[in-house]
Amino acid sequence: MDGQVARASWLFGPRRPLPVRVTPLRGESTGSFVNRLAHGQGLQLEELLERVGFGQASRDPVRVRAYPSSTEMYVNERGLEYLAVLCGSTASALQEVLPSTAAAHLLETETTKAVWKWPWLPREGHLVPLCGTCATARGVRETAWMISADRWRVCLEHLRFTDSDASGGGRGLSLKLLPETAEAHREREALSQRYGQVGRELFADAFQIAVHWWTHLPGTARWVRRAWDAGLEAEAVPTAPLVLMPEAAAVAARLTAFEHAGRRDGQARTRWMEELRSEMDGWGVDFSVGRLALMDWLQRHSTLATQAPDTADGPAGRTAPQERQVSAGMPGAGVPRRLQVSPGHERAAQPTGVLGAASCLPWQLGQPACEM
């Protein structure tokens, strides 16, 4: 009987919602939601897929059940309609909360049938578990996989770190073990709120500088200690975002101050480097190695940004990239309310949520040191 119902759904589509309603989470992967939807009915993932449409999957049900943690599920327009009916929603409502159902990600198919597909990897972003405490608060009793711009997410409300490698398990690693890292993420948020995209890109630059240091100097004592405190492997790539963040936040403050000072002469550059050298000595980071990333950043920020007009619209109705400046979102006494970045930064950085791509520095976490 169940097989007949499934075959009917292939031909005509589902006509009514499944008995148990499951609500999608904003930012959740489609595969994760469909998996939770199946479990809500007492079904396994492979059993529900038959009701969403046609597709190819492994004949091994164990492998199929692992799909939501390793890749993403994509559907065509008809498949999205089927899924909407099954969960008691609408296609447009699902597109508002499930990133991979956006129009740009719908499968282009010649058939009018509902189709789904699980490629080897997500087409965009990374699969990262939702903070376990957040999941529990929303009534979710299993791991919910989110589409994240970066390979990791931080929940400052519950002080949990989750990543695509599931460090710390599905519920995430408690940042109470690493209070310096938790504070660094608060500073990152403050910089973003104060300066908007400019603040996010400067923090991305600082993170890339710290990545360069860690890649060349993974045995630095403070990073090893933090990794051990969290019960992680010190020199594993997934550990880096956790242990580097305090230094990245401190460097971000230095980069911001340099841009705000608006001086590019040799004396100003030398003084800035010496100040950072003193700080790096205190961190135990070898300056003779670490200075290379700093010099690269200085070279890309060697010229001052053009003075921006009073309005955001230039002659052609838009601000030139090097004239971008942002008003403060968190005003405070003695804090600069506007910030501009160098044209050299603008030519390389991308206005994106991906930390590495938002930086003007080209290397990426996980690259061998010899390629940086």
Side-chain angles (χ1 to χ4, degrees), residues 4 24 78 133 153 160 164 168 175 197 211 262 308 347 363:
Q4 292 176 351
R78 179 61 61 85
T133 308
R153 293 163 55 97
R160 287 199 171 272
S164 57
L175 288 183
Q197 185 62 28
V211 163
R347 285 192 290 269
W363 53 80

Side-chain angles (χ1 to χ4, degrees), residues 152-280:
W152 43 271
R153 293 163 55 97
V154 172
C155 174
L156 287 176
E157 181 181 0
H158 301 116
L159 295 180
R160 287 199 171 272
F161 172 95
T162 56
D163 64 7
S164 57
D165 293 275
S167 300
R171 293 186 62 82
L173 183 76
S174 174
L175 288 183
K176 293 178 181 178
L177 301 171
L178 298 170
E180 296 168 299
T181 298
E183 181 58 30
H185 278 286
R186 294 189 186 97
E187 293 173 16
R188 177 189 181 189
E189 287 297 308
L191 190 66
S192 175
Q193 292 180 40
R194 190 178 302 281
Y195 295 120
Q197 185 62 28
V198 171
R200 289 188 285 274
E201 290 179 13
L202 285 175
F203 194 96
D205 286 348
F207 181 78
Q208 290 292 83
I209 289 170
V211 163
H212 192 280
W213 295 348
W214 181 85
T215 304
H216 288 81
L217 304 165
T220 300
R222 67 195 294 109
W223 297 331
V224 172
R225 174 181 55 77
R226 286 186 193 132
W228 289 351
D229 287 347
L232 300 175
E233 185 180 345
E235 298 188 13
V237 171
T239 303
L242 274 167
V243 301
L244 294 179
M245 205 55 70
E247 287 67 45
V251 172
R254 293 286 184 181
L255 304 188
T256 303
F258 182 82
E259 290 287 13
H260 176 63
R263 295 186 59 187
R264 298 295 189 269
D265 58 88
Q267 185 178 7
R269 290 157 61 95
T270 299
R271 183 171 59 253
W272 184 81
M273 286 286 279
E274 285 301 317
E275 289 172 351
L276 260 169
R277 177 175 189 162
S278 176
E279 201 158 13
M280 291 168 67

Side-chain angles (χ1 to χ4, degrees), residues 36 103 139:
R36 292 195 302 109

Side-chain angles (χ1 to χ4, degrees), residues 82-94:
Y82 280 22
L83 180 58
V85 172
L86 289 171
C87 69
S89 184
T90 64
S92 60
L94 288 182

